[in-house]
Amino acid sequence: MRTLVLGGIRSGKSQWAEAAVARAAGDGAPVRYVATGPAADSDPDWARRVDAHQGRRPAHWRTVETGDLVAVLTADPHAPDTATLVDDIGGWLTATMDRLGAWTGTSVNGEVDALVQAVDAFTAPLVLVSPEVGLTVVPATEAGRRFADELGTVNQRLAAVCDQVVLVVAGQPLTVKEPS
């Protein structure tokens, strides 16, 4: 089962996703937590957010910090057997756009294609967390609009290959797509 969890900032999407992957894995089973965000070295607020996420994880969960999400989903020998939570796709897209210099127009389509293929082929329980960008004002900068447009496209493509899509609003899950 592949689940995409969408929501705004502080919507409760990560907490909902953590509970969902724990249920999917089974009581006390291993879970791989893939963190795609930047290191919290120079930003105290970001460090507090990272600490809060880390503090909620059970000790038996394994954390992988990476910007190369496709490699983690396709090359890890534990992937076929281990429930995996990716938090979050927005962090992955930011790192991808930085790496490719895509803030002013370079295409990220190849990277997105590879991610969608990796998610589609993933056989263990997989929960992906991503910001929902379509519920806010249009960003004032070109780079902001590009990010929102790209993330909206990534979310749509991931939703197409996921079995379930959940939107979390004020901590409350709303099922957008049911498993068939």
Side-chain angles (χ1 to χ4, degrees), residues 9-132:
I9 296 168
R10 298 285 197 216
S11 63
K13 63 187 177 294
S14 292
Q15 287 177 291
W16 190 91
E18 291 161 3
V21 78
R23 284 190 306 274
D27 209 19
V31 170
R32 178 175 53 168
Y33 185 105
V34 182
T36 65
D41 300 337
S42 63
D43 183 343
D45 180 60
W46 185 252
R48 283 189 293 279
R49 288 173 185 246
V50 169
D51 288 345
H53 279 244
Q54 290 171 341
R56 288 193 311 256
R57 288 181 222 150
H60 67 278
W61 287 18
R62 181 171 62 101
T63 300
V64 177
E65 295 180 2
T66 186
D68 194 353
L69 181 53
V70 172
V72 171
L73 294 178
T74 58
D76 191 318
H78 302 292
D81 303 323
T82 304
T84 298
L85 169 64
V86 175
D87 198 354
D88 78 13
I89 299 302
W92 170 82
L93 181 61
T94 299
T96 299
M97 290 178 75
D98 284 346
R99 185 171 37 81
L100 297 177
W103 295 101
T104 57
T106 302
S107 175
V108 295
N109 290 342
E111 304 288 328
V112 173
D113 289 345
L115 176 62
V116 171
Q117 290 169 3
V119 168
D120 193 33
F122 202 80
T123 57
L126 177 63
V127 179
L128 306 164
V129 176
S130 189
E132 175 50 57

Side-chain angles (χ1 to χ4, degrees), residues 154-170:
V154 171
N155 286 346
Q156 289 180 50
R157 293 198 54 205
L158 289 173
V161 298
C162 284
D163 306 297
Q164 179 180 35
V165 178
V166 174
L167 175 65
V168 179
V169 178

